[in-house]
Amino acid sequence: MINDINTGDKDALWELIQRFKPLINKYKRKLGYDGAEEDIILWLVKTVKKYKKGEKNDKF
């Protein structure tokens, strides 16, 4: 999945966001400010893009 996201696969990115949606919602409520959900999603995408092809942690 990470390799697909890093090559620009929007469906893989959408799947990742949906997979983490319950956790995103939990922390969105805890942070409690407008735009928290977007900030969390942006952090998630940036973090995933740091992984390189072929690393052992290539599955979620």
Side-chain angles (χ1 to χ4, degrees):
M1 177 186 295
I2 291 174
N3 290 338
D4 296 334
I5 292 169
N6 286 336
T7 59
D9 185 343
K10 292 180 182 185
D11 290 332
L13 180 59
W14 180 250
E15 181 183 335
L16 178 77
I17 293 168
Q18 292 308 306
R19 190 174 290 186
F20 279 91
K21 194 68 172 171
L23 197 58
I24 291 169
N25 287 335
K26 174 184 175 181
Y27 286 102
K28 172 183 76 171
R29 286 189 299 274
K30 284 186 179 254
L31 291 169
Y33 67 89
D34 289 340
E37 182 175 10
E38 292 83 5
D39 288 346
I40 295 167
I41 291 170
L42 182 60
W43 175 86
L44 177 63
V45 171
K46 285 181 178 182
T47 301
V48 167
K49 289 190 175 230
K50 287 181 182 178
Y51 281 91
K52 294 185 176 143
K53 267 185 159 179
E55 287 193 11
K56 291 181 183 179
N57 299 329
D58 199 7
K59 293 186 179 183
F60 285 98

